[in-house]
Amino acid sequence: MSDHNTKEAGKFMSRALALAREVQGRTSPNPAVGAVFVKDGRIVGEGATEKPGERHAEIVALQAAGSEANGATLYVTLEPCCYQGRTAACTEAIIAAGVADVHFSHEDPDSHVSGRGKAQLAESGIPVVVGEGEDEARRINEGYLMHRTQGRPFVIAKFATSLDGKIAATSGDSRWVSGPETRAWSHELRTRIDAIAVGVSTVLIDDPQLTARLAPSAGSGQAPSAGSGQAQLAEHQPLRIVIDSKGRTPKDASVLGCGTPTLIATTRASPEAWRAEMTQAGARVEVLPDDGAGRVSLPALVKHLGESDVLTLLVEGGGVLHGSFFDEGLVDKVHAVVAPLIVGGDAPSAVVGRGAERMADALRLNDVSVERLGDDFLITGYTSARAIST
């Protein structure tokens, strides 16, 4: 491919990736995919994956292109599916439309596809190019890739700390460590994940709603906040998870309200009457094995969520829960916000748990990026290369 053609292909694949990003978090348990049909150097049809059971990106774009799809080039961020599921096979529609060639970012690891879509297209005489935009495409669907290859959700640990690593004041007061820009970013992040988890101590201390809320108006500079009367719930809401081993969540906790699903993960140590009370309050109660120390087994929880088609899990704390996830080796990605504050004293830390005995044993993140959010800094990294290249 010439330099000119490579640049053109990159431009159109970038558009497909942008379309995929727009629906990230809204297509689960399907991947977020973008597709663009190009003919004579112009886009003749484009689209993104719709809700589960509805059209895949290729079909949305194909129907938008109509007869122009004949002889066109398709740019799509994931290998087209080749089997009949809740929707028909995309490869068959592509072949029937007379598409000239197909470019996709990477193969689909789903056992129903896994290279078969590429093979079917090639066998029908359609040239296939693989690899354009692969890194970004994998990031967009890191939850889907983890789920399809390891049967569990992609776990993201998120916390905001002061410069000296504290997540609250010495009294336990944590509102607010971060600034309004960070809080707005946090709510937007919630619209792109499947589930959000906190420990019961966070529920007892902060009484969070754990919902995704929109700012009053774009560019207003105001951050969503519970009880403000101005913020509104986003269309997509994550499953709210409270990890409560002994049954301490009160029946009037805010996490049980707002009409958004809540899962309470507990053990047999919790009273049956409390479980019935939580169920009556609208929560789904899941009794899981304990870890030998009386706490919910996190590997068992993660396994259960994977079996429930949860692709991404955002862990928001507190420090004990974060420490437990890190100790179990279950964290794949970290969003750490550092605010220009000094708390001092014996205030709570972001990550507790067993920790590392030596600095050589400390977990060092890979592929680290830094972003400014108002006066705060967002540091993002992965715990292993496997997490992003699965």
Side-chain angles (χ1 to χ4, degrees), residues 162 164-171 342-349:
S162 61
D164 54 341
K166 308 300 184 181
I167 59 173
T170 55
S171 66
I342 300 292
V343 176
D346 189 23
S349 299

Side-chain angles (χ1 to χ4, degrees), residues 221-256:
Q222 294 177 303
S225 59
S228 67
Q230 295 175 314
Q232 62 181 14
L233 292 177
E235 180 180 358
H236 171 74
Q237 292 294 324
L239 170 68
R240 301 177 295 183
I241 301 173
V242 178
I243 301 173
D244 185 353
S245 303
K246 294 181 171 58
R248 296 192 291 153
T249 302
K251 63 181 179 181
D252 60 350
S254 294
V255 74
L256 300 175

Side-chain angles (χ1 to χ4, degrees), residues 138-153:
R138 287 185 178 277
R139 289 183 189 278
I140 291 170
N141 282 312
E142 54 198 7
Y144 173 79
L145 297 176
M146 179 66 76
H147 186 267
R148 290 303 189 271
T149 57
Q150 299 193 35
R152 70 168 180 87

Side-chain angles (χ1 to χ4, degrees), residues 296-309:
V296 170
S297 165
L298 295 182
L301 171 62
V302 167
K303 180 176 183 292
H304 170 73
L305 294 176
E307 292 170 348
S308 303
D309 282 339

Side-chain angles (χ1 to χ4, degrees), residues 35-37 44-48 50 54-70 74 87-90 93-94 97 99:
V36 173
F37 279 97
V44 295
E46 62 180 30
E50 297 178 333
E54 299 182 8
R55 299 176 297 173
H56 288 188
E58 298 93 322
I59 304 304
V60 177
L62 187 61
Q63 291 178 356
S67 61
E68 291 272 48
N70 185 279
L74 168 62
T87 59
C90 291
I94 292 167
V99 174

